[in-house]
Amino acid sequence: MTRGTGLHALLMGWHRRVRAAIATQQLDLPFAVCFIAGDLPEVYDLNLMTVTAPVPGPLLLASIERIARSAGWRHRRIEVDSAAIADGLRDALGEAGYSESRFVTMRLAKPTRPAAAPHPRRTAVVDLDDQFDLARALMAQEPWAESAALVDQMVERERRLGRATRARAVVAPPAAPVSRCLLLRAPSLGLAEVDAVSTLVGHRGEGWSDAVVRRAIAEAQRDAGTDLVLVADAEDWP
């Protein structure tokens, strides 16, 4: 298997290990792994079931309902990485009221001239602890930010994610940031990931997101042999 064709599996394995490091509880079922972050119950991507093998829809639904009630979840999230397994579960999950989101993994195959070129907007690479005020403001403007308590949980999720992935943030402009992204790293796997690209609403369209992503690419390219990836919602990516 080449690095290119195995990259997605490598990335998903890394994501599972990061979740396991952050979670307060992990339940291993014959067909799935369930992650629970008991003190962050509203954070969807830390409280979910990841399907690992074919399973009848009714059994999967009964299992996540039992776990969700015990864990106090208000949401239900099931992640399926196999297209074949997803096809087999689609009807049962749809009938139970689940909506489907599809994510794509994008890889920067090689340095490109535009990505490597300096950007006219100034940027800075900072520790995560130095940008949580900006992170909170960016999260608070999102449609899912229903309460201050939920934003607090998402900020804490990011703090723990940073510890588990040696993450740093790229912000712009340095003096009074209005935009940022995270750069997550797994040096032992030769992986880096751009995450949480966002700009304050009043400054969108000014090139800030482009600037921070390009700086993150440049930082990742400092490590020879590192594959840089970005995971995005297939329905919310240009």
Side-chain angles (χ1 to χ4, degrees), residues 29-94:
L29 307 178
F31 51 84
V33 178
C34 188
F35 299 100
I36 302 171
D39 56 340
L40 303 176
E42 302 299 320
V43 180
Y44 286 14
D45 68 348
L46 295 181
N47 295 277
L48 77 162
M49 182 174 285
T50 299
V51 177
T52 56
V55 54
L59 175 58
L60 177 65
L61 289 166
S63 299
I64 194 169
E65 283 302 315
R66 183 179 68 254
I67 291 169
R69 287 195 297 269
S70 175
W73 296 347
R74 292 193 303 162
H75 68 279
R76 308 289 187 270
R77 177 165 175 164
I78 299 172
E79 188 175 89
V80 186
D81 192 44
S82 164
I85 294 176
D87 289 342
L89 291 170
R90 184 170 287 110
D91 289 345
L93 295 182

Short mmCIF file of all heavy atoms in Angstrom, two decimals, residues 29-94:
data_model
loop_
_atom_site.label_atom_id
_atom_site.label_comp_id
_atom_site.label_asym_id
_atom_site.label_seq_id
_atom_site.Cartn_x
_atom_site.Cartn_y
_atom_site.Cartn_z
N LEU A 29 -17.02 -2.30 21.62
CA LEU A 29 -18.05 -3.25 21.25
C LEU A 29 -17.55 -4.11 20.09
O LEU A 29 -16.58 -3.74 19.42
CB LEU A 29 -19.33 -2.51 20.85
CG LEU A 29 -19.87 -1.48 21.86
CD1 LEU A 29 -21.11 -0.80 21.30
CD2 LEU A 29 -20.19 -2.16 23.18
N PRO A 30 -18.18 -5.23 19.80
CA PRO A 30 -17.73 -6.07 18.68
C PRO A 30 -17.77 -5.35 17.34
O PRO A 30 -17.03 -5.72 16.42
CB PRO A 30 -18.71 -7.25 18.71
CG PRO A 30 -19.21 -7.30 20.11
CD PRO A 30 -19.26 -5.88 20.57
N PHE A 31 -18.61 -4.32 17.22
CA PHE A 31 -18.80 -3.64 15.94
C PHE A 31 -18.51 -2.14 15.99
O PHE A 31 -18.68 -1.45 14.99
CB PHE A 31 -20.26 -3.84 15.47
CG PHE A 31 -21.26 -3.49 16.53
CD1 PHE A 31 -21.66 -2.18 16.73
CD2 PHE A 31 -21.78 -4.48 17.35
CE1 PHE A 31 -22.57 -1.85 17.72
CE2 PHE A 31 -22.71 -4.17 18.35
CZ PHE A 31 -23.10 -2.84 18.53
N ALA A 32 -18.08 -1.64 17.13
CA ALA A 32 -17.89 -0.19 17.26
C ALA A 32 -17.04 0.14 18.48
O ALA A 32 -16.88 -0.68 19.39
CB ALA A 32 -19.24 0.53 17.37
N VAL A 33 -16.52 1.36 18.47
CA VAL A 33 -15.87 1.94 19.64
C VAL A 33 -16.67 3.18 20.02
O VAL A 33 -17.00 4.01 19.15
CB VAL A 33 -14.41 2.32 19.35
CG1 VAL A 33 -13.78 2.98 20.58
CG2 VAL A 33 -13.61 1.10 18.92
N CYS A 34 -16.99 3.30 21.29
CA CYS A 34 -17.75 4.45 21.78
C CYS A 34 -16.85 5.29 22.68
O CYS A 34 -16.24 4.77 23.62
CB CYS A 34 -18.98 3.99 22.54
SG CYS A 34 -20.09 5.34 22.97
N PHE A 35 -16.76 6.57 22.37
CA PHE A 35 -15.97 7.51 23.16
C PHE A 35 -16.90 8.39 23.98
O PHE A 35 -17.91 8.89 23.46
CB PHE A 35 -15.09 8.38 22.26
CG PHE A 35 -14.09 7.59 21.45
CD1 PHE A 35 -14.34 7.31 20.11
CD2 PHE A 35 -12.91 7.15 22.02
CE1 PHE A 35 -13.42 6.59 19.36
CE2 PHE A 35 -11.99 6.42 21.27
CZ PHE A 35 -12.25 6.14 19.94
N ILE A 36 -16.55 8.59 25.24
CA ILE A 36 -17.35 9.41 26.13
C ILE A 36 -16.44 10.38 26.87
O ILE A 36 -15.48 9.96 27.52
CB ILE A 36 -18.11 8.55 27.16
CG1 ILE A 36 -19.02 7.54 26.45
CG2 ILE A 36 -18.92 9.43 28.12
CD1 ILE A 36 -19.64 6.51 27.39
N ALA A 37 -16.73 11.66 26.75
CA ALA A 37 -16.04 12.69 27.54
C ALA A 37 -17.07 13.19 28.55
O ALA A 37 -17.85 14.10 28.25
CB ALA A 37 -15.53 13.82 26.65
N GLY A 38 -17.07 12.58 29.71
CA GLY A 38 -18.15 12.78 30.66
C GLY A 38 -18.37 14.21 31.11
O GLY A 38 -19.49 14.61 31.38
N ASP A 39 -17.29 14.98 31.19
CA ASP A 39 -17.42 16.36 31.63
C ASP A 39 -17.62 17.33 30.47
O ASP A 39 -17.77 18.54 30.70
CB ASP A 39 -16.20 16.78 32.45
CG ASP A 39 -14.89 16.59 31.71
OD1 ASP A 39 -14.86 15.82 30.73
OD2 ASP A 39 -13.88 17.22 32.11
N LEU A 40 -17.64 16.82 29.24
CA LEU A 40 -17.89 17.66 28.06
C LEU A 40 -19.00 17.01 27.22
O LEU A 40 -18.81 16.70 26.04
CB LEU A 40 -16.61 17.81 27.22
CG LEU A 40 -15.39 18.39 27.93
CD1 LEU A 40 -14.18 18.37 26.99
CD2 LEU A 40 -15.65 19.80 28.43
N PRO A 41 -20.18 16.82 27.79
CA PRO A 41 -21.21 16.01 27.13
C PRO A 41 -21.78 16.61 25.85
O PRO A 41 -22.37 15.89 25.05
CB PRO A 41 -22.29 15.87 28.20
CG PRO A 41 -22.11 17.09 29.06
CD PRO A 41 -20.64 17.32 29.10
N GLU A 42 -21.62 17.93 25.66
CA GLU A 42 -22.19 18.56 24.48
C GLU A 42 -21.24 18.59 23.29
O GLU A 42 -21.61 19.05 22.20
CB GLU A 42 -22.61 20.01 24.81
CG GLU A 42 -23.61 20.11 25.94
CD GLU A 42 -24.91 19.40 25.61
OE1 GLU A 42 -25.37 19.48 24.45
OE2 GLU A 42 -25.46 18.73 26.51
N VAL A 43 -20.02 18.13 23.47
CA VAL A 43 -19.03 18.16 22.38
C VAL A 43 -19.23 16.90 21.53
O VAL A 43 -18.85 15.80 21.92
CB VAL A 43 -17.60 18.23 22.93
CG1 VAL A 43 -16.59 18.26 21.78
CG2 VAL A 43 -17.45 19.49 23.79
N TYR A 44 -19.79 17.10 20.35
CA TYR A 44 -20.21 15.96 19.52
C TYR A 44 -19.05 15.05 19.16
O TYR A 44 -19.20 13.82 19.17
CB TYR A 44 -20.86 16.47 18.23
CG TYR A 44 -22.25 17.03 18.39
CD1 TYR A 44 -22.77 17.34 19.65
CD2 TYR A 44 -23.05 17.26 17.28
CE1 TYR A 44 -24.04 17.87 19.78
CE2 TYR A 44 -24.33 17.79 17.41
CZ TYR A 44 -24.82 18.10 18.66
OH TYR A 44 -26.08 18.61 18.79
N ASP A 45 -17.90 15.61 18.78
CA ASP A 45 -16.83 14.75 18.26
C ASP A 45 -15.99 14.12 19.36
O ASP A 45 -15.01 13.43 19.06
CB ASP A 45 -15.95 15.49 17.25
CG ASP A 45 -15.11 16.59 17.87
OD1 ASP A 45 -15.36 16.95 19.04
OD2 ASP A 45 -14.21 17.10 17.19
N LEU A 46 -16.39 14.30 20.61
CA LEU A 46 -15.76 13.57 21.72
C LEU A 46 -16.75 12.61 22.38
O LEU A 46 -16.37 11.87 23.29
CB LEU A 46 -15.22 14.54 22.77
CG LEU A 46 -14.07 15.44 22.34
CD1 LEU A 46 -13.63 16.32 23.51
CD2 LEU A 46 -12.89 14.63 21.80
N ASN A 47 -17.99 12.65 21.95
CA ASN A 47 -19.04 11.79 22.50
C ASN A 47 -19.79 11.17 21.32
O ASN A 47 -20.75 11.75 20.80
CB ASN A 47 -19.99 12.60 23.38
CG ASN A 47 -19.31 13.16 24.61
OD1 ASN A 47 -19.16 12.48 25.62
ND2 ASN A 47 -18.88 14.42 24.53
N LEU A 48 -19.35 10.00 20.91
CA LEU A 48 -19.89 9.41 19.69
C LEU A 48 -19.57 7.93 19.64
O LEU A 48 -18.78 7.42 20.42
CB LEU A 48 -19.30 10.11 18.46
CG LEU A 48 -17.87 9.75 18.05
CD1 LEU A 48 -17.61 10.18 16.61
CD2 LEU A 48 -16.84 10.37 18.98
N MET A 49 -20.18 7.28 18.65
CA MET A 49 -19.90 5.89 18.37
C MET A 49 -19.26 5.80 16.98
O MET A 49 -19.79 6.34 16.01
CB MET A 49 -21.17 5.06 18.43
CG MET A 49 -20.95 3.57 18.20
SD MET A 49 -22.47 2.60 18.47
CE MET A 49 -22.54 2.61 20.27
N THR A 50 -18.11 5.13 16.90
CA THR A 50 -17.41 4.91 15.64
C THR A 50 -17.57 3.45 15.24
O THR A 50 -17.10 2.56 15.95
CB THR A 50 -15.92 5.25 15.77
OG1 THR A 50 -15.78 6.64 16.13
CG2 THR A 50 -15.20 5.02 14.45
N VAL A 51 -18.24 3.21 14.12
CA VAL A 51 -18.51 1.85 13.67
C VAL A 51 -17.25 1.27 13.05
O VAL A 51 -16.61 1.89 12.19
CB VAL A 51 -19.67 1.83 12.66
CG1 VAL A 51 -19.90 0.41 12.13
CG2 VAL A 51 -20.94 2.36 13.31
N THR A 52 -16.88 0.08 13.46
CA THR A 52 -15.65 -0.56 13.00
C THR A 52 -15.87 -1.85 12.23
O THR A 52 -14.94 -2.40 11.65
CB THR A 52 -14.73 -0.86 14.20
OG1 THR A 52 -15.46 -1.67 15.14
CG2 THR A 52 -14.29 0.44 14.88
N ALA A 53 -17.11 -2.37 12.22
CA ALA A 53 -17.41 -3.63 11.54
C ALA A 53 -18.88 -3.64 11.16
O ALA A 53 -19.69 -2.90 11.73
CB ALA A 53 -17.09 -4.82 12.45
N PRO A 54 -19.26 -4.46 10.18
CA PRO A 54 -20.68 -4.54 9.80
C PRO A 54 -21.56 -4.88 11.00
O PRO A 54 -21.19 -5.70 11.85
CB PRO A 54 -20.70 -5.67 8.76
CG PRO A 54 -19.32 -5.67 8.17
CD PRO A 54 -18.42 -5.32 9.33
N VAL A 55 -22.73 -4.24 11.06
CA VAL A 55 -23.62 -4.43 12.19
C VAL A 55 -25.06 -4.19 11.70
O VAL A 55 -25.30 -3.27 10.91
CB VAL A 55 -23.27 -3.46 13.34
CG1 VAL A 55 -23.23 -2.02 12.87
CG2 VAL A 55 -24.24 -3.61 14.50
N PRO A 56 -26.01 -4.98 12.15
CA PRO A 56 -27.41 -4.70 11.80
C PRO A 56 -27.85 -3.34 12.35
O PRO A 56 -27.50 -2.98 13.48
CB PRO A 56 -28.18 -5.85 12.47
CG PRO A 56 -27.17 -6.92 12.66
CD PRO A 56 -25.87 -6.22 12.93
N GLY A 57 -28.62 -2.61 11.56
CA GLY A 57 -29.06 -1.29 11.98
C GLY A 57 -29.77 -1.26 13.32
O GLY A 57 -29.46 -0.43 14.19
N PRO A 58 -30.73 -2.16 13.57
CA PRO A 58 -31.43 -2.14 14.86
C PRO A 58 -30.51 -2.34 16.06
O PRO A 58 -30.69 -1.71 17.10
CB PRO A 58 -32.43 -3.29 14.72
CG PRO A 58 -32.67 -3.40 13.25
CD PRO A 58 -31.36 -3.10 12.61
N LEU A 59 -29.50 -3.20 15.90
CA LEU A 59 -28.56 -3.43 17.02
C LEU A 59 -27.73 -2.17 17.27
O LEU A 59 -27.50 -1.79 18.43
CB LEU A 59 -27.64 -4.61 16.69
CG LEU A 59 -26.53 -4.90 17.70
CD1 LEU A 59 -27.09 -5.16 19.09
CD2 LEU A 59 -25.68 -6.08 17.24
N LEU A 60 -27.28 -1.53 16.20
CA LEU A 60 -26.51 -0.29 16.34
C LEU A 60 -27.34 0.78 17.03
O LEU A 60 -26.88 1.45 17.96
CB LEU A 60 -26.03 0.19 14.97
CG LEU A 60 -25.26 1.50 14.95
CD1 LEU A 60 -23.94 1.38 15.69
CD2 LEU A 60 -25.01 1.95 13.50
N LEU A 61 -28.58 0.95 16.59
CA LEU A 61 -29.44 1.98 17.16
C LEU A 61 -29.75 1.70 18.63
O LEU A 61 -29.73 2.62 19.46
CB LEU A 61 -30.73 2.07 16.35
CG LEU A 61 -30.58 2.68 14.96
CD1 LEU A 61 -31.82 2.42 14.12
CD2 LEU A 61 -30.31 4.18 15.06
N ALA A 62 -30.01 0.45 18.97
CA ALA A 62 -30.29 0.12 20.36
C ALA A 62 -29.07 0.36 21.23
O ALA A 62 -29.19 0.84 22.37
CB ALA A 62 -30.74 -1.35 20.46
N SER A 63 -27.89 0.08 20.70
CA SER A 63 -26.66 0.25 21.48
C SER A 63 -26.38 1.71 21.75
O SER A 63 -26.05 2.09 22.89
CB SER A 63 -25.49 -0.39 20.72
OG SER A 63 -25.69 -1.77 20.54
N ILE A 64 -26.50 2.56 20.73
CA ILE A 64 -26.17 3.97 20.96
C ILE A 64 -27.24 4.62 21.85
O ILE A 64 -26.92 5.50 22.66
CB ILE A 64 -25.98 4.75 19.64
CG1 ILE A 64 -25.31 6.10 19.95
CG2 ILE A 64 -27.29 4.94 18.90
CD1 ILE A 64 -24.83 6.85 18.74
N GLU A 65 -28.48 4.18 21.76
CA GLU A 65 -29.50 4.74 22.64
C GLU A 65 -29.21 4.41 24.10
O GLU A 65 -29.32 5.26 24.99
CB GLU A 65 -30.88 4.22 22.25
CG GLU A 65 -31.46 4.89 21.02
CD GLU A 65 -31.60 6.39 21.19
OE1 GLU A 65 -32.07 6.85 22.25
OE2 GLU A 65 -31.20 7.12 20.26
N ARG A 66 -28.84 3.18 24.35
CA ARG A 66 -28.53 2.76 25.72
C ARG A 66 -27.34 3.55 26.28
O ARG A 66 -27.38 4.05 27.41
CB ARG A 66 -28.21 1.26 25.74
CG ARG A 66 -27.94 0.72 27.14
CD ARG A 66 -27.65 -0.76 27.13
NE ARG A 66 -26.36 -1.07 26.48
CZ ARG A 66 -26.24 -1.60 25.28
NH1 ARG A 66 -27.31 -1.90 24.55
NH2 ARG A 66 -25.05 -1.87 24.76
N ILE A 67 -26.29 3.70 25.46
CA ILE A 67 -25.10 4.41 25.91
C ILE A 67 -25.39 5.90 26.07
O ILE A 67 -24.96 6.53 27.04
CB ILE A 67 -23.94 4.19 24.91
CG1 ILE A 67 -23.49 2.72 24.97
CG2 ILE A 67 -22.77 5.12 25.20
CD1 ILE A 67 -22.54 2.33 23.87
N ALA A 68 -26.13 6.48 25.13
CA ALA A 68 -26.43 7.91 25.18
C ALA A 68 -27.23 8.25 26.43
O ALA A 68 -26.98 9.28 27.09
CB ALA A 68 -27.17 8.33 23.92
N ARG A 69 -28.21 7.43 26.77
CA ARG A 69 -29.00 7.70 27.98
C ARG A 69 -28.14 7.61 29.22
O ARG A 69 -28.25 8.44 30.13
CB ARG A 69 -30.17 6.72 28.05
CG ARG A 69 -31.28 6.99 27.06
CD ARG A 69 -32.55 6.22 27.43
NE ARG A 69 -32.34 4.78 27.38
CZ ARG A 69 -32.54 4.03 26.30
NH1 ARG A 69 -32.96 4.61 25.19
NH2 ARG A 69 -32.34 2.73 26.34
N SER A 70 -27.27 6.62 29.27
CA SER A 70 -26.39 6.46 30.43
C SER A 70 -25.41 7.63 30.56
O SER A 70 -25.12 8.09 31.66
CB SER A 70 -25.62 5.15 30.31
OG SER A 70 -24.69 5.01 31.35
N ALA A 71 -24.90 8.12 29.40
CA ALA A 71 -23.90 9.19 29.41
C ALA A 71 -24.53 10.58 29.51
O ALA A 71 -23.82 11.56 29.73
CB ALA A 71 -23.04 9.11 28.15
N GLY A 72 -25.84 10.67 29.33
CA GLY A 72 -26.52 11.96 29.42
C GLY A 72 -26.38 12.81 28.17
O GLY A 72 -26.49 14.04 28.24
N TRP A 73 -26.19 12.19 27.02
CA TRP A 73 -26.09 12.94 25.77
C TRP A 73 -27.46 13.46 25.35
O TRP A 73 -28.46 12.74 25.41
CB TRP A 73 -25.55 12.07 24.65
CG TRP A 73 -24.17 11.56 24.84
CD1 TRP A 73 -23.25 11.97 25.75
CD2 TRP A 73 -23.54 10.51 24.08
NE1 TRP A 73 -22.08 11.26 25.61
CE2 TRP A 73 -22.23 10.35 24.60
CE3 TRP A 73 -23.95 9.69 23.04
CZ2 TRP A 73 -21.34 9.42 24.10
CZ3 TRP A 73 -23.06 8.75 22.52
CH2 TRP A 73 -21.78 8.61 23.05
N ARG A 74 -27.48 14.67 24.83
CA ARG A 74 -28.69 15.18 24.17
C ARG A 74 -28.65 14.89 22.67
O ARG A 74 -29.65 15.02 21.98
CB ARG A 74 -28.82 16.69 24.39
CG ARG A 74 -29.12 17.08 25.83
CD ARG A 74 -29.54 18.52 25.92
NE ARG A 74 -28.55 19.42 25.36
CZ ARG A 74 -28.79 20.68 25.00
NH1 ARG A 74 -30.02 21.16 25.11
NH2 ARG A 74 -27.82 21.44 24.53
N HIS A 75 -27.48 14.54 22.16
CA HIS A 75 -27.30 14.27 20.74
C HIS A 75 -27.01 12.78 20.53
O HIS A 75 -26.76 12.05 21.49
CB HIS A 75 -26.13 15.08 20.18
CG HIS A 75 -24.81 14.63 20.72
ND1 HIS A 75 -24.32 15.02 21.96
CD2 HIS A 75 -23.87 13.77 20.22
CE1 HIS A 75 -23.15 14.46 22.19
NE2 HIS A 75 -22.85 13.68 21.15
N ARG A 76 -27.02 12.38 19.29
CA ARG A 76 -26.59 11.04 18.89
C ARG A 76 -25.68 11.22 17.67
O ARG A 76 -26.12 11.78 16.66
CB ARG A 76 -27.77 10.14 18.52
CG ARG A 76 -28.88 10.07 19.56
CD ARG A 76 -28.45 9.29 20.79
NE ARG A 76 -29.56 9.09 21.71
CZ ARG A 76 -29.88 9.92 22.70
NH1 ARG A 76 -29.17 11.03 22.89
NH2 ARG A 76 -30.90 9.66 23.49
N ARG A 77 -24.46 10.73 17.76
CA ARG A 77 -23.55 10.82 16.61
C ARG A 77 -22.93 9.46 16.35
O ARG A 77 -22.35 8.85 17.26
CB ARG A 77 -22.46 11.87 16.85
CG ARG A 77 -21.45 11.94 15.69
CD ARG A 77 -20.62 13.19 15.75
NE ARG A 77 -19.59 13.20 14.71
CZ ARG A 77 -18.92 14.28 14.34
NH1 ARG A 77 -19.17 15.45 14.90
NH2 ARG A 77 -18.00 14.21 13.40
N ILE A 78 -23.05 9.01 15.11
CA ILE A 78 -22.46 7.75 14.67
C ILE A 78 -21.54 8.06 13.50
O ILE A 78 -21.95 8.70 12.53
CB ILE A 78 -23.54 6.75 14.23
CG1 ILE A 78 -24.49 6.42 15.41
CG2 ILE A 78 -22.91 5.48 13.68
CD1 ILE A 78 -25.69 5.60 15.01
N GLU A 79 -20.30 7.61 13.61
CA GLU A 79 -19.31 7.85 12.56
C GLU A 79 -19.00 6.52 11.88
O GLU A 79 -18.70 5.53 12.53
CB GLU A 79 -18.04 8.43 13.20
CG GLU A 79 -17.00 8.89 12.21
CD GLU A 79 -15.83 9.55 12.94
OE1 GLU A 79 -14.88 8.83 13.30
OE2 GLU A 79 -15.89 10.77 13.16
N VAL A 80 -19.07 6.53 10.55
CA VAL A 80 -18.82 5.32 9.76
C VAL A 80 -17.79 5.67 8.70
O VAL A 80 -18.03 6.53 7.86
CB VAL A 80 -20.10 4.80 9.09
CG1 VAL A 80 -19.83 3.47 8.39
CG2 VAL A 80 -21.23 4.66 10.10
N ASP A 81 -16.65 5.00 8.73
CA ASP A 81 -15.58 5.33 7.79
C ASP A 81 -15.60 4.45 6.55
O ASP A 81 -14.97 4.76 5.56
CB ASP A 81 -14.22 5.21 8.50
CG ASP A 81 -13.10 5.81 7.67
OD1 ASP A 81 -13.30 6.91 7.11
OD2 ASP A 81 -12.04 5.19 7.56
N SER A 82 -16.32 3.34 6.58
CA SER A 82 -16.40 2.42 5.45
C SER A 82 -17.63 2.74 4.61
O SER A 82 -18.76 2.74 5.12
CB SER A 82 -16.48 0.98 5.95
OG SER A 82 -16.94 0.11 4.93
N ALA A 83 -17.43 3.00 3.32
CA ALA A 83 -18.56 3.30 2.44
C ALA A 83 -19.51 2.11 2.36
O ALA A 83 -20.74 2.29 2.33
CB ALA A 83 -18.05 3.66 1.05
N ALA A 84 -18.97 0.90 2.33
CA ALA A 84 -19.82 -0.29 2.24
C ALA A 84 -20.70 -0.44 3.48
O ALA A 84 -21.90 -0.74 3.39
CB ALA A 84 -18.96 -1.53 2.04
N ILE A 85 -20.11 -0.23 4.67
CA ILE A 85 -20.89 -0.32 5.91
C ILE A 85 -21.93 0.80 5.96
O ILE A 85 -23.08 0.59 6.36
CB ILE A 85 -19.97 -0.28 7.13
CG1 ILE A 85 -19.06 -1.52 7.17
CG2 ILE A 85 -20.79 -0.19 8.42
CD1 ILE A 85 -18.05 -1.53 8.30
N ALA A 86 -21.54 1.99 5.54
CA ALA A 86 -22.47 3.12 5.54
C ALA A 86 -23.67 2.84 4.62
O ALA A 86 -24.82 3.15 4.97
CB ALA A 86 -21.75 4.39 5.09
N ASP A 87 -23.41 2.25 3.46
CA ASP A 87 -24.51 1.92 2.55
C ASP A 87 -25.49 0.96 3.20
O ASP A 87 -26.71 1.07 3.02
CB ASP A 87 -23.96 1.31 1.26
CG ASP A 87 -23.24 2.33 0.37
OD1 ASP A 87 -23.45 3.53 0.58
OD2 ASP A 87 -22.47 1.91 -0.51
N GLY A 88 -24.97 0.02 3.97
CA GLY A 88 -25.83 -0.95 4.62
C GLY A 88 -26.64 -0.39 5.78
O GLY A 88 -27.66 -0.96 6.16
N LEU A 89 -26.18 0.72 6.34
CA LEU A 89 -26.85 1.32 7.50
C LEU A 89 -27.73 2.52 7.14
O LEU A 89 -28.53 2.96 7.97
CB LEU A 89 -25.80 1.78 8.52
CG LEU A 89 -25.03 0.68 9.24
CD1 LEU A 89 -23.86 1.29 10.03
CD2 LEU A 89 -25.94 -0.11 10.18
N ARG A 90 -27.57 3.04 5.93
CA ARG A 90 -28.20 4.32 5.57
C ARG A 90 -29.72 4.30 5.78
O ARG A 90 -30.29 5.24 6.37
CB ARG A 90 -27.85 4.67 4.14
CG ARG A 90 -28.38 6.04 3.69
CD ARG A 90 -27.81 6.47 2.37
NE ARG A 90 -26.39 6.87 2.53
CZ ARG A 90 -25.37 6.17 2.05
NH1 ARG A 90 -25.57 5.04 1.40
NH2 ARG A 90 -24.13 6.60 2.24
N ASP A 91 -30.40 3.28 5.31
CA ASP A 91 -31.86 3.26 5.42
C ASP A 91 -32.32 3.21 6.87
O ASP A 91 -33.22 3.96 7.29
CB ASP A 91 -32.42 2.07 4.65
CG ASP A 91 -32.31 2.23 3.14
OD1 ASP A 91 -32.05 3.37 2.69
OD2 ASP A 91 -32.46 1.22 2.43
N ALA A 92 -31.68 2.35 7.66
CA ALA A 92 -32.09 2.20 9.06
C ALA A 92 -31.86 3.49 9.85
O ALA A 92 -32.71 3.91 10.64
CB ALA A 92 -31.34 1.04 9.71
N LEU A 93 -30.72 4.11 9.62
CA LEU A 93 -30.42 5.35 10.34
C LEU A 93 -31.32 6.49 9.87
O LEU A 93 -31.78 7.31 10.67
CB LEU A 93 -28.95 5.73 10.16
CG LEU A 93 -27.93 4.76 10.77
CD1 LEU A 93 -26.51 5.27 10.56
CD2 LEU A 93 -28.19 4.55 12.25
N GLY A 94 -31.58 6.55 8.57
CA GLY A 94 -32.47 7.58 8.06
C GLY A 94 -33.88 7.45 8.62
O GLY A 94 -34.50 8.45 9.01
#
